[in-house]
Amino acid sequence: MPLGLYKDLMRSATPMTVEQLAEEAKAQPLLVGTIACLVDLMREAYTDSIARVLRVISVVELVNEVDRDLYAASPVAEVMASTAMTAAGKALVSLTLYPHSILEPDRSSWDQSANSMAKFPEFLEQREFSCPSDPEDGLFQYAFGTRLGAFEHWSRDAKVFDNFNVFHRMDESWLSWYPVKSRLLEGLDQSSAVLVDIGGGKGQNLHEFSETFPQEHGRLILQDRLSVIDDIESLNGSIKRQAHNFFTPQPVEGARTYFFSRIFHDWSDERCREILRNLRSAMTGRYSKLLIHDFVLSDTDCFILQAGFDTHMMCMHAGMERTRHRWEYFLHESGFQVVRFWIPPDDSERIIEAE
C-alpha cells in the first residue's frame, strides 16, 4: 500500500499522531487510525480516511500503538519499509486486513473477500486515499465490475447469500445476557408491539425471543426486504412478517423496542442517519427504545477480529464498525441519547440502548 506509513514512522524520532501521518501520506486521517475524539467527530467532513489501516496493522504489531491516535515504529517496521516488502504488499493486504477469510471453507465466501482485498491498494490510490461511503460505488463494485450493492449482488447467487444468512445465525443470542424483563417487558403497554426486528432476515432473533418470552401474534414483527420476506419458508406463529425498506418511514408506530442487529455497520454515517430519521417519528417518547446489536470498537488495543471486520465493512459495503465515541456522537446527532452500552460475557457485539 503506497501510503509510506512505515517509512514515515522510521524517520520520526518520536511517535506520530494520526493527523501527522495523514498529512505525510496525503490521505484522510480516518483511514490511518481511528477518530475517537468528539472534537474530531464534530467536523462535518470527518476528514475520513487513514485511521482504519493503522488500527489493523498495530493489532498484528507491524507498528506500535502508543496512545489513542498516536503511533510509533515497531521492530518490524524497518522490514516492512523495505523495497522488497513494499513489493509484496498486495499479498499481505488480503491476509493482514481480513485474516479470518483464510479459515472460510467455502470458495464463494473466499472469493467475495479476497477479490475485494486484492484491489484495496489500487482502489485507494485511484480515490486519493478516501474512505468509500457510497454502497454502490465502493471497493466491492470496483473489484467485481458491478454497480450493484453487495447485498443485491449476493442475492443473485443463492450459495453466497445462504452463507451470509448462516453466518448471522452462528453467535450466542443476545437474549442470554441482556436484561429483557427489566428493560423491555416491565411497563409494557399491552396494545403496542413488543419488538420490531428491522432487517431481521429469516427471523432468527424473533424466533428465539418468542421461545423465551412467548407473545401473542402480531406483537413480534419481522421486517426486511420483500425478496427476503417472501423467501421465508416457515416462521413461528407469533411473529408477523412485514416487507419494509428501512430507508423509508417506519410503518409500525409506538412499539416498545426497535431492534437492529448488524445493520448499521453495513452503512456510512450519512446513510445511517437516514435510517434513524425514518425511525424517529414512529417512536413514542419515554416509552419506545432503540436497541442496536453491533461491535463497539476499543479506542486502543482493538481485537484483531473487530479491526478486521471494520476493514471488511469498508471494503464490502462502504460501511464501518464504530468506537464508543463515534456511536455516542452519531446517535446524538440523529436525535437519540445513549442510555447504556451493554457488554456480553465474550465481549463480542454489544447492545447499544438508546431513546
Side-chain angles (χ1 to χ4, degrees), residues 109-298:
S109 297
W110 164 261
D111 289 344
Q112 302 302 306
S113 59
N115 287 354
S116 296
M117 290 298 175
K119 295 288 186 179
F120 189 43
E122 180 183 321
F123 173 83
L124 287 177
E125 189 166 20
Q126 288 197 12
R127 299 298 177 94
E128 298 181 344
F129 301 103
S130 297
C131 278
S133 60
D134 185 345
E136 296 179 352
D137 187 26
L139 175 55
F140 182 86
Q141 289 72 31
Y142 182 82
F144 285 90
T146 180
R147 291 293 297 177
L148 299 176
F151 291 114
E152 187 176 356
H153 183 82
W154 293 340
S155 69
R156 301 186 176 196
D157 187 328
K159 189 175 183 181
V160 173
F161 210 56
D162 284 346
N163 287 337
F164 174 80
N165 286 323
V166 169
F167 169 74
H168 275 250
R169 295 197 297 267
M170 287 174 58
D171 296 337
E172 180 183 9
S173 172
W174 60 282
L175 299 173
S176 66
W177 51 268
Y178 177 79
V180 172
K181 288 184 177 180
S182 63
R183 303 303 299 174
L184 306 184
L185 300 184
E186 289 184 6
L188 182 66
D189 181 345
Q190 297 302 315
S191 65
S192 71
V194 179
L195 184 66
V196 183
D197 190 358
I198 305 167
K202 298 291 183 73
Q204 179 69 15
N205 278 304
L206 286 182
H207 175 77
E208 293 176 355
F209 191 97
S210 66
E211 291 290 308
T212 309
F213 308 101
Q215 303 293 327
E216 296 177 2
H217 176 73
R219 304 197 70 202
L220 300 177
I221 302 175
L222 173 64
Q223 295 181 340
D224 213 307
R225 293 171 300 157
L226 179 60
S227 60
V228 176
I229 293 295
D230 286 346
D231 193 47
I232 299 174
E233 296 180 358
S234 63
L235 196 63
N236 185 295
S238 65
I239 302 171
K240 176 184 177 179
R241 65 182 78 187
Q242 184 178 63
H244 173 58
N245 178 346
F246 48 54
F247 290 111
T248 62
Q250 172 57 240
V252 179
E253 297 183 351
R256 177 60 159 168
T257 311
Y258 296 90
F259 182 72
F260 294 84
S261 181
R262 293 172 172 165
I263 298 296
F264 288 100
H265 70 175
D266 293 325
W267 305 95
S268 66
D269 285 348
E270 180 181 356
R271 300 303 294 273
C272 289
R273 284 193 291 270
E274 185 179 350
I275 294 171
L276 291 174
R277 280 196 300 269
N278 282 299
L279 173 66
R280 178 80 269 186
S281 60
M283 297 177 68
T284 298
R286 298 188 178 183
Y287 176 73
S288 297
K289 294 180 180 292
L290 166 65
L291 295 188
I292 298 173
H293 182 223
D294 246 320
F295 277 128
V296 178
L297 302 186
S298 302

